[in-house]
Amino acid sequence: MVPFEIQLPQRTVFGRGKAVPTVETLVGIYRRPMIVHGANPDRATWLINFFPDAVTITCQGEPDIGALEAALQNARGENVDAVIALGGGSVIDLGKAVAGLAATDKPLLNYLEVVGDGSAIDAPPLPFIALPTTSGTGAEATRNAVIGVPEHGRKVSVRDVRMLPDLAIVDPALTDGCPRATTLASGLDAITQLIEPYLSSRANAYTDALIVSALEPALRAIRILAEREDADARDAMAYASYMSGITLSHAGLGAVHGLAGVIGGMSGAPHGEVCATLLAPTLMVNRRALDQSGGATDRFDEIDALFNQHFEDQDGRDGFEQLSHWVTSVGIRAVVDMGVAPDRFGQIAEMAQASSSMKANPVQLSVKELTDLLAK
């Protein structure tokens, strides 16, 4: 059996309607928190009202190093005693990075992977509370924050076990009414983050059990939410997102996320949409490469059969092709339509090979295989 070690948020509260009563218990514990919220501040009013002395900042999109620097200066100057992030994965990533780095005094590149030293945080983080309003990245359960570095054309991580949230409040009601495009892109990201750990070279019994509990309900839910609002489907996706954060942290990811980090950094395309469009072709290329190398493809066949079950009304010879057709039919763009020219595919493939996500891919893919994957 593959060895594993479990590192989770210190406390998790999951359930519809749990956000308000759980936040009420924090009043008096934190006097001056920083509240990080999304572009629409009205959605955070209920939370801000609990903390009259809070410092608030807006996360306008996927955070980059400039936004993180500004937020850190604000947190340090205002002597905040905790960070509470209410929003999607980008908001939670920004809040998590601020909490993790607020007490440090070295340049940010010391802590960034790939483009920097990737050093461990050398000062105690602030308490961090995550309240996701989308179901996708699983950032409420992970120990890293993804930060864009425009001058390098990359998205990379700040990573430390102490960045795990002190409290994750996963209330599916906070995701009700999320726009369809965001629901689908983030939901397919969560599904990808369940599939890649299941196929990963570091898959283990613990993550397998969580994935089995979450993946099939998520596939049913994403099809429902593509057509209509549904509370039960929202609940299933919130659970899938949280489980995906745990499983990716403990079993790794793969080529989808290895490529997505580079593509997102180059084009600014939404991470979830990039993962959604890459999932099916990556599964096809990985299964073929694994088969050609003599590796076992049983798990790929399981995922293929699961897709065939849930996307059987779509065109395609197998489940992977059926998924691909459905993803296109619901409006997910191809990579080229996100502003990535085909003549950059080779460069993207080379850069992706250095990604930390690529280390757990079930088979080593060549630059040519990755380039062909992008062409699909």
Side-chain angles (χ1 to χ4, degrees):
M1 181 174 288
V2 176
F4 58 85
E5 176 182 344
I6 308 305
Q7 298 169 330
L8 300 172
Q10 184 173 328
R11 180 186 174 208
T12 297
V13 177
F14 183 99
R16 181 166 287 270
K18 291 290 187 180
V20 169
T22 305
V23 168
E24 284 179 328
T25 68
L26 305 178
V27 176
I29 297 175
Y30 304 118
R31 183 191 64 81
R32 192 170 177 76
M34 170 175 276
I35 295 177
V36 185
H37 58 75
N40 181 1
D42 293 341
R43 297 194 67 183
T45 300
W46 70 269
L47 176 62
I48 295 168
N49 286 343
F50 280 109
F51 302 97
D53 294 324
V55 176
T56 63
I57 63 169
T58 302
C59 179
Q60 296 287 356
E62 295 183 0
D64 62 19
I65 195 167
L68 176 55
E69 286 276 19
L72 283 169
Q73 290 179 12
N74 198 346
R76 292 162 180 160
E78 296 288 351
N79 293 316
V80 302
D81 57 3
V83 179
I84 306 174
L86 172 72
S90 296
V91 174
I92 293 175
D93 274 352
L94 179 58
K96 192 188 304 184
V98 171
L101 298 173
T104 63
D105 58 7
K106 294 179 182 176
L108 281 182
L109 283 177
N110 280 71
Y111 309 104
L112 293 176
E113 296 177 345
V114 183
V115 300
D117 299 332
S119 299
I121 294 171
D122 48 11
L126 290 172
F128 177 62
I129 297 94
L131 293 97
T133 62
T134 63
S135 297
T137 68
E140 64 275 11
T142 62
R143 55 182 177 264
N144 71 298
V146 179
I147 305 298
V149 188
E151 56 268 36
H152 289 271
R154 298 294 295 269
K155 292 179 183 177
V156 299
S157 283
V158 182
R159 191 184 309 271
D160 192 290
V161 67
R162 290 169 296 173
M163 290 174 65
L164 280 163
D166 295 87
L167 172 60
I169 305 172
V170 186
D171 183 342
L174 296 178
T175 72
D176 288 350
C178 182
R180 179 178 181 273
T182 302
T183 295
L184 294 177
S186 60
L188 285 163
D189 186 20
I191 287 168
T192 302
Q193 291 173 174
L194 292 169
I195 291 171
E196 287 201 302
Y198 189 68
L199 302 175
S200 161
S201 60
R202 303 208 306 263
N204 59 73
Y206 177 80
T207 55
D208 284 354
L210 299 184
I211 292 162
V212 168
S213 75
L215 180 54
E216 190 162 6
L219 293 175
R220 287 195 297 268
I222 199 73
R223 294 225 59 179
I224 291 169
L225 292 171
E227 303 298 330
R228 66 181 188 276
E229 189 66 27
D230 184 275
D232 289 340
R234 291 287 183 191
D235 291 358
M237 287 309 307
Y239 178 77
S241 177
Y242 183 65
M243 290 299 113
S244 80
I246 296 174
T247 57
L248 75 86
S249 295
H250 293 87
L253 290 164
V256 173
H257 279 79
L259 290 163
V262 179
I263 292 170
M266 280 187 172
S267 67
H271 173 76
E273 188 177 23
V274 177
C275 290
T277 200
L278 290 177
L279 177 56
T282 302
L283 290 169
M284 296 174 195
V285 169
N286 263 335
R287 180 167 61 179
R288 184 176 68 242
L290 195 60
D291 183 55
Q292 290 173 347
S293 69
T297 62
D298 297 11
R299 291 198 170 206
F300 281 85
D301 296 338
E302 287 178 37
I303 299 299
D304 191 336
L306 197 58
F307 284 146
N308 182 257
Q309 176 185 344
H310 289 278
F311 298 94
E312 62 182 352
D313 58 332
Q314 303 295 306
D315 292 335
R317 294 170 297 178
D318 59 19
F320 295 164
E321 286 192 0
Q322 290 165 343
L323 171 68
S324 181
H325 280 282
W326 182 79
V327 164
T328 300
S329 74
V330 296
I332 300 295
R333 296 174 294 170
V335 170
V336 291
D337 296 324
M338 298 180 199
V340 181
D343 61 9
R344 303 196 73 179
F345 287 174
Q347 179 190 6
I348 291 169
E350 290 179 2
M351 293 172 70
Q353 285 193 318
S355 166
S356 59
S357 295
M358 199 67 80
K359 295 176 182 177
N361 201 59
V363 63
Q364 185 173 354
L365 297 177
S366 67
V367 170
K368 183 180 185 307
E369 286 171 317
L370 290 169
T371 303
D372 290 345
L373 185 165
L374 292 170
K376 285 181 177 291

